[in-house]
Amino acid sequence: MPRTCELALPCDAGLFTPLQLQPARVFAAGFAASARWLQLHAVSHRSLLRDHRVGAVMWNARLEYRAPLRFFDSDEVLVRAAHRLVARGVQLAAEVDLMSGSALVAKLQLVYVPLQLSDDPSMSGAPARLPPSVAARFRPDEVELS
């Protein structure tokens, strides 16, 4: 079973539209949970950039609402993230669930592409695999070989 990371997000009025969780806030929570997972289980974003000269750019993102959640429905939202390496480390995929109690209210899928950074100040880069030392920190059930 892939490892997860959980963050509790207190509900405030700015988290919601009149109908549902605000998409921009869902993405911000998902990015934070994704970064936390990487820090706990593989490598911090800072270390990835500084020590490995590898960045990651968002290649694809998908948000799916599963159940309505409004401001007066909950005091907090639990944000749970898991990661897997895809295509032999050419992509990094994050699955993020937003829960209210036991109800799944939203699902966020994020796909990053690693970039080998150049030495110029702009930090431009070219697509690359995650460094083997970082990829080795993923457990077998967190690696998709296809």
Side-chain angles (χ1 to χ4, degrees):
M1 180 178 210
R3 296 168 289 182
T4 61
C5 163
E6 295 181 352
L7 302 174
L9 180 63
C11 291
D12 63 68
L15 185 61
F16 300 89
T17 69
L19 300 176
Q20 184 55 278
L21 289 167
Q22 189 181 123
R25 297 283 303 270
V26 171
F27 277 97
F31 296 146
S34 173
R36 182 69 174 151
W37 188 98
L38 287 169
Q39 181 182 29
L40 290 173
H41 301 298
V43 64
S44 72
H45 191 188
R46 180 180 57 87
S47 177
L48 189 63
L49 289 168
R50 184 193 64 205
D51 303 332
H52 301 281
R53 301 293 302 155
V54 172
V57 296
M58 183 64 52
W59 180 70
N60 193 3
R62 179 175 180 218
L63 171 58
E64 179 183 346
Y65 289 105
R66 295 286 183 92
L69 183 68
R70 294 175 188 85
F71 176 66
F72 291 109
D73 294 340
S74 184
D75 288 325
E76 70 179 19
V77 174
L78 182 68
V79 184
R80 180 181 302 135
H83 275 261
R84 68 184 191 286
L85 286 180
V86 181
R88 298 181 183 359
V90 172
Q91 296 175 356
L92 180 62
E95 299 284 334
V96 181
D97 293 337
L98 286 86
M99 311 283 296
S100 175
S102 62
L104 176 64
V105 295
K107 192 165 199 57
L108 183 61
Q109 298 169 322
L110 307 169
V111 179
Y112 304 93
V113 173
L115 296 178
Q116 185 66 53
L117 300 177
S118 66
D119 290 328
D120 65 27
S122 71
M123 294 181 74
S124 61
R129 295 184 190 285
L130 277 179
S133 61
V134 174
R137 296 176 187 158
F138 285 77
R139 297 188 330 195
D141 61 346
E142 297 166 342
V143 177
E144 192 176 299
L145 298 177
S146 60

